[in-house]
Amino acid sequence: STGGASIAGSITAASGVFTNSATLNGEPLATARTYKTIWIDAGAMKPESSTAPAAETFSPASGPYTNDVLSFDSATSESAQFRIMMPDDWDLGTLKAKFVWSATTTNTTTNVVIWSIAGLAYTNSMNVSTNVFGTAQTTYQASANTMTVTNAVMTTPATAAITVNYTPYINNPLYFKVLRSIGGASTNLIGDAQLHGVQLQYRTLQT
């Protein structure tokens, strides 16, 4: 089972040699690996002191839900961080992220919210005061953001591959910075965007 993954191509034999031209999610099937997912809840994130999103509770009056969210402003750049120890089966390669979020207002015209994430690896004896995050990757919902319902919970597509800065090692933590990208018509959802959490995707060691 491929869990809904896209398989294309075929396996053929020529002169007694089998050739595998099939692909899984665009990679050769012989080496393709699917992603596993780790959930990082907004309640496990630490708002940055100088640009802090508000730590709030998502609890719509007409629903049974109660969970932590971080509310990111539409006019001021705000950010938060989280730390994670990766599983032992991580291949130490690139990662991807999906953002689960909602909004406190409706907006049916210019209503895209762009989320950004960057990471760094910490190793023993590093000077943490001089570390910097790697290149940020962004994601948003291009067609699913016609938000006519307040508090609708949405999940973005996965980001492009995230390369953490510095060399990662198993049993050493990774740090990530998340923010809402603002400025410009395409990001102009008026009102707070509530981050519920991040789905961090990683690939496993090949066996």
Coordinates of all heavy atoms in Angstrom, one line a residue, residues 67-114:
N67 N -8.3 24.2 22.6 CA -6.9 23.9 22.4 C -6.1 25.2 22.3 O -6.6 26.2 22.1 CB -6.6 23.0 21.2 CG -7.1 23.6 19.9 OD1 -8.2 23.4 19.4 ND2 -6.3 24.4 19.2
D68 N -4.8 25.0 22.5 CA -3.9 26.2 22.4 C -3.7 26.6 21.0 O -3.6 25.8 20.1 CB -2.5 25.8 23.0 CG -2.6 25.5 24.5 OD1 -3.3 26.2 25.2 OD2 -1.9 24.6 25.0
V69 N -3.5 27.9 20.8 CA -3.2 28.5 19.5 C -2.2 29.7 19.8 O -2.2 30.3 20.9 CB -4.4 29.0 18.7 CG1 -5.3 27.9 18.3 CG2 -5.2 30.0 19.5
L70 N -1.5 30.1 18.8 CA -0.7 31.3 18.8 C -1.3 32.2 17.7 O -1.5 31.8 16.6 CB 0.8 31.1 18.5 CG 1.6 30.3 19.5 CD1 3.0 30.0 19.0 CD2 1.6 31.0 20.9
S71 N -1.7 33.4 18.1 CA -2.4 34.3 17.2 C -1.4 35.3 16.6 O -0.8 36.2 17.3 CB -3.5 35.1 17.9 OG -4.6 34.2 18.3
F72 N -1.2 35.2 15.3 CA -0.2 36.1 14.6 C -0.9 37.3 13.9 O -1.9 37.1 13.2 CB 0.5 35.3 13.5 CG 1.5 34.2 14.1 CD1 1.0 33.1 14.6 CD2 2.8 34.5 14.0 CE1 1.9 32.1 15.1 CE2 3.7 33.6 14.5 CZ 3.3 32.4 15.1
D73 N -0.4 38.4 14.2 CA -1.0 39.7 13.7 C -0.9 39.8 12.2 O 0.0 39.3 11.6 CB -0.3 40.9 14.4 CG -1.0 42.2 14.2 OD1 -2.1 42.3 14.8 OD2 -0.6 43.0 13.5
S74 N -1.8 40.6 11.6 CA -1.7 40.9 10.2 C -0.9 42.1 9.8 O -0.7 42.3 8.6 CB -3.2 41.0 9.6 OG -3.8 42.1 10.3
A75 N -0.5 42.9 10.8 CA 0.3 44.1 10.4 C 1.7 44.1 11.0 O 2.5 44.8 10.5 CB -0.5 45.3 11.0
T76 N 2.0 43.3 12.0 CA 3.3 43.2 12.6 C 3.9 41.8 12.5 O 3.2 40.9 12.8 CB 3.2 43.6 14.1 OG1 2.6 44.9 14.2 CG2 4.6 43.6 14.8
S77 N 5.1 41.7 12.1 CA 5.7 40.4 11.9 C 6.0 39.8 13.3 O 6.7 40.4 14.2 CB 7.1 40.6 11.2 OG 7.7 39.3 11.1
E78 N 5.4 38.7 13.6 CA 5.5 38.0 14.9 C 6.1 36.6 14.6 O 5.8 36.0 13.6 CB 4.2 37.9 15.6 CG 3.7 39.3 15.9 CD 2.3 39.3 16.5 OE1 1.5 38.4 16.2 OE2 2.0 40.3 17.3
S79 N 6.8 36.0 15.6 CA 7.4 34.7 15.4 C 7.4 33.9 16.7 O 7.3 34.5 17.8 CB 8.8 34.9 14.9 OG 9.6 35.7 15.7
A80 N 7.6 32.6 16.6 CA 7.8 31.7 17.7 C 8.7 30.6 17.4 O 9.1 30.5 16.2 CB 6.4 31.1 18.1
Q81 N 9.2 29.9 18.4 CA 10.2 28.9 18.2 C 9.7 27.6 18.9 O 9.0 27.6 19.8 CB 11.6 29.3 18.7 CG 12.2 30.4 17.9 CD 13.6 30.7 18.4 OE1 14.3 29.8 18.9 NE2 14.1 31.9 18.2
F82 N 10.2 26.5 18.4 CA 10.1 25.2 19.1 C 11.3 24.4 18.9 O 12.1 24.6 18.0 CB 8.8 24.4 18.7 CG 8.8 24.0 17.2 CD1 9.4 22.8 16.9 CD2 8.3 24.7 16.2 CE1 9.4 22.3 15.6 CE2 8.2 24.3 14.9 CZ 8.8 23.1 14.6
R83 N 11.5 23.5 19.9 CA 12.7 22.6 19.9 C 12.2 21.1 19.8 O 11.1 20.8 20.4 CB 13.5 22.8 21.1 CG 14.7 21.9 21.3 CD 15.4 22.2 22.6 NE 14.6 21.9 23.7 CZ 15.0 22.1 25.0 NH1 16.2 22.6 25.2 NH2 14.1 21.9 26.0
I84 N 12.9 20.3 19.1 CA 12.5 18.9 19.0 C 13.7 18.0 18.9 O 14.7 18.3 18.3 CB 11.5 18.7 17.8 CG1 10.9 17.3 17.8 CG2 12.3 19.0 16.5 CD1 9.9 17.1 16.7
M85 N 13.5 16.8 19.5 CA 14.5 15.7 19.3 C 14.0 14.8 18.3 O 12.9 14.2 18.4 CB 14.8 15.0 20.6 CG 15.3 15.8 21.7 SD 17.1 16.3 21.5 CE 17.9 14.7 21.8
M86 N 14.7 14.6 17.2 CA 14.2 13.8 16.1 C 14.3 12.3 16.4 O 15.2 11.9 17.2 CB 15.0 14.1 14.8 CG 14.7 15.5 14.3 SD 13.0 15.8 13.8 CE 12.9 14.7 12.3
P87 N 13.4 11.5 15.8 CA 13.5 10.0 16.1 C 14.8 9.4 15.5 O 15.4 10.0 14.6 CB 12.2 9.5 15.3 CG 11.3 10.7 15.2 CD 12.2 11.9 15.1
D88 N 15.1 8.3 16.0 CA 16.4 7.6 15.6 C 16.3 7.2 14.2 O 17.4 6.9 13.6 CB 16.6 6.4 16.5 CG 17.0 6.8 18.0 OD1 17.3 8.0 18.2 OD2 17.0 5.9 18.8
D89 N 15.2 7.0 13.6 CA 15.1 6.5 12.2 C 15.2 7.7 11.2 O 15.1 7.4 10.0 CB 13.9 5.7 12.0 CG 12.6 6.4 12.2 OD1 12.6 7.6 12.7 OD2 11.5 5.9 11.8
W90 N 15.3 8.9 11.6 CA 15.5 10.0 10.7 C 16.8 9.9 9.9 O 17.8 9.5 10.4 CB 15.5 11.4 11.5 CG 15.7 12.6 10.7 CD1 15.2 12.8 9.4 CD2 16.5 13.7 11.0 NE1 15.6 14.1 9.0 CE2 16.4 14.7 9.9 CE3 17.2 14.1 12.1 CZ2 17.1 15.9 10.0 CZ3 17.9 15.3 12.2 CH2 17.8 16.2 11.1
D91 N 16.7 10.2 8.6 CA 17.9 10.0 7.7 C 18.8 11.2 7.7 O 19.8 11.2 7.0 CB 17.4 9.7 6.3 CG 16.8 10.9 5.6 OD1 16.6 11.9 6.3 OD2 16.5 10.8 4.4
L92 N 18.5 12.2 8.6 CA 19.4 13.4 8.8 C 19.3 14.3 7.5 O 20.1 15.2 7.4 CB 20.8 13.0 9.1 CG 21.1 12.2 10.3 CD1 22.6 11.9 10.4 CD2 20.7 13.0 11.6
G93 N 18.3 14.1 6.7 CA 18.1 14.9 5.5 C 17.2 16.0 5.7 O 16.9 16.5 6.8
T94 N 16.7 16.5 4.6 CA 15.8 17.7 4.6 C 14.4 17.3 5.2 O 14.1 16.1 5.3 CB 15.6 18.2 3.2 OG1 15.0 17.2 2.3 CG2 16.9 18.8 2.6
L95 N 13.7 18.3 5.6 CA 12.4 18.1 6.2 C 11.3 18.9 5.4 O 11.7 19.8 4.6 CB 12.4 18.6 7.6 CG 13.5 17.9 8.5 CD1 14.1 18.9 9.4 CD2 12.9 16.8 9.3
K96 N 10.1 18.7 5.7 CA 9.0 19.6 5.2 C 8.0 19.9 6.3 O 8.1 19.2 7.4 CB 8.2 18.9 4.1 CG 9.1 18.7 2.8 CD 8.2 18.1 1.7 CE 9.0 17.9 0.4 NZ 8.2 17.4 -0.7
A97 N 7.2 20.9 6.1 CA 6.3 21.3 7.2 C 4.9 21.7 6.6 O 4.8 22.2 5.5 CB 6.8 22.4 8.0
K98 N 3.9 21.3 7.3 CA 2.5 21.8 7.1 C 2.0 22.6 8.3 O 2.3 22.2 9.4 CB 1.6 20.6 6.8 CG 1.9 19.8 5.6 CD 0.9 18.7 5.4 CE 1.2 17.9 4.1 NZ 0.1 16.8 4.0
F99 N 1.2 23.6 8.0 CA 0.7 24.5 9.1 C -0.8 24.2 9.3 O -1.5 24.3 8.3 CB 1.0 25.9 8.8 CG 2.5 26.3 8.9 CD1 3.3 26.0 7.9 CD2 3.0 27.0 10.0 CE1 4.7 26.3 7.9 CE2 4.3 27.3 10.1 CZ 5.2 27.0 9.0
V100 N -1.2 24.0 10.5 CA -2.6 23.9 10.8 C -3.1 25.2 11.5 O -2.5 25.6 12.5 CB -2.9 22.7 11.7 CG1 -4.4 22.6 12.0 CG2 -2.4 21.4 11.0
W101 N -4.1 25.8 10.9 CA -4.4 27.2 11.4 C -5.8 27.5 11.2 O -6.6 26.8 10.5 CB -3.5 28.2 10.7 CG -3.7 28.3 9.2 CD1 -3.4 27.4 8.2 CD2 -4.4 29.4 8.5 NE1 -3.8 27.9 7.0 CE2 -4.4 29.1 7.2 CE3 -5.0 30.6 9.0 CZ2 -5.0 30.0 6.2 CZ3 -5.6 31.4 8.0 CH2 -5.6 31.1 6.7
S102 N -6.2 28.6 11.8 CA -7.6 29.2 11.6 C -7.5 30.7 11.6 O -6.4 31.2 11.8 CB -8.5 28.7 12.7 OG -8.1 29.0 13.9
A103 N -8.6 31.4 11.5 CA -8.6 32.8 11.5 C -9.8 33.3 12.3 O -10.9 32.6 12.4 CB -8.6 33.4 10.1
T104 N -9.7 34.5 12.9 CA -10.7 35.0 13.7 C -11.7 35.9 12.9 O -12.7 36.3 13.4 CB -10.1 35.9 14.8 OG1 -9.3 37.0 14.2 CG2 -9.2 35.1 15.7
T105 N -11.4 36.1 11.6 CA -12.3 36.9 10.8 C -12.5 36.2 9.4 O -11.8 35.3 9.1 CB -11.7 38.3 10.5 OG1 -10.4 38.1 9.8 CG2 -11.5 39.1 11.7
T106 N -13.5 36.6 8.7 CA -13.7 36.1 7.3 C -13.1 37.1 6.3 O -13.1 38.3 6.6 CB -15.2 35.9 7.0 OG1 -15.9 37.1 7.2 CG2 -15.7 34.8 8.0
N107 N -12.8 36.6 5.2 CA -12.2 37.5 4.1 C -12.4 36.8 2.8 O -11.7 35.7 2.6 CB -10.8 37.9 4.4 CG -10.3 39.0 3.5 OD1 -10.8 39.2 2.4 ND2 -9.3 39.7 4.0
T108 N -13.1 37.2 1.9 CA -13.4 36.5 0.7 C -12.7 37.1 -0.5 O -12.9 36.6 -1.7 CB -14.9 36.5 0.4 OG1 -15.4 37.9 0.2 CG2 -15.7 35.8 1.5
T109 N -11.8 38.1 -0.3 CA -11.1 38.6 -1.5 C -9.6 38.4 -1.4 O -9.1 37.3 -1.8 CB -11.4 40.2 -1.6 OG1 -11.0 40.8 -0.3 CG2 -12.8 40.4 -1.9
T110 N -8.8 39.3 -0.8 CA -7.4 39.1 -0.6 C -7.2 38.4 0.8 O -7.1 39.1 1.8 CB -6.7 40.4 -0.7 OG1 -7.0 41.1 -1.9 CG2 -5.2 40.2 -0.7
N111 N -7.1 37.1 0.8 CA -7.2 36.4 2.1 C -6.1 35.3 2.3 O -6.4 34.4 2.9 CB -8.6 35.8 2.3 CG -9.0 35.0 1.1 OD1 -8.2 34.6 0.2 ND2 -10.3 34.6 1.0
V112 N -5.0 35.5 1.6 CA -4.0 34.5 1.8 C -3.1 34.7 3.0 O -2.7 35.9 3.3 CB -3.1 34.4 0.5 CG1 -1.9 33.5 0.7 CG2 -3.9 34.0 -0.7
V113 N -2.8 33.7 3.8 CA -1.9 33.8 4.9 C -0.7 32.9 4.5 O -0.8 31.8 4.2 CB -2.5 33.3 6.2 CG1 -1.5 33.2 7.3 CG2 -3.6 34.2 6.7
I114 N 0.5 33.5 4.5 CA 1.7 32.8 4.2 C 2.5 32.5 5.5 O 2.8 33.4 6.3 CB 2.6 33.6 3.2 CG1 1.9 33.9 1.9 CG2 3.9 32.9 3.0 CD1 2.7 34.7 1.0

